[in-house]
Amino acid sequence: MAESSPLERHFAAILAEALRRRRRELGLSQEEVALRAGIDRGHYQLMEAARSDRHSNKAANPRFFTLLRLAEALEIPVDELLGPVAEAYEGGPGTSWF
């Protein structure tokens, strides 16, 4: 199985931080967010750790529908949840990821 690229790991870490920050702002536990989003608590914990599973070093890469449910659970528009990732991707003048 292929490892995640440094770019994928970087974006997963940014998303993980955004999830953690918002959850803490709301005073919610990981379990409460998972219940609100209708996902497994372990799956949510992995996303906050920027990982796709416990056995590999693959970066978290949640499905779009999962991101929508998480945004709703965290009472935040999805574009705001993903804003830090988009900002890192855009990176400013002269930045090229590819």
Side-chain angles (χ1 to χ4, degrees), residues 8 13 20 38 59 63-65 85:
E8 289 170 309
R20 250 189 322 275
R63 294 178 178 189
F64 184 68
F65 190 67
V85 177

Side-chain angles (χ1 to χ4, degrees), residues 1-67:
M1 184 180 299
E3 288 293 315
S4 299
S5 72
L7 182 60
E8 289 170 309
R9 286 194 295 277
H10 179 68
F11 289 155
I14 293 169
L15 176 61
E17 178 57 32
L19 291 169
R20 250 189 322 275
R21 185 176 336 116
R22 182 61 182 162
R23 175 179 61 79
R24 288 175 179 162
E25 285 174 2
L26 294 174
L28 299 172
S29 69
Q30 291 178 332
E31 185 171 14
E32 289 170 318
V33 173
L35 285 170
R36 285 181 172 199
I39 62 173
D40 180 74
R41 177 181 53 97
H43 183 60
Y44 181 77
Q45 288 174 329
L46 286 167
M47 282 189 276
E48 275 201 13
R51 296 178 59 194
S52 66
D53 65 62
R54 297 190 191 286
H55 305 291
S56 73
N57 196 27
K58 292 207 45 111
N61 189 7
R63 294 178 178 189
F64 184 68
F65 190 67
T66 300
L67 291 170

Side-chain angles (χ1 to χ4, degrees), residues 11 14 79 81-92 97:
F11 289 155
I14 293 169
D79 61 325
L81 177 64
L82 296 177
V85 177
E87 289 171 15
Y89 180 76
E90 292 167 1
W97 292 104

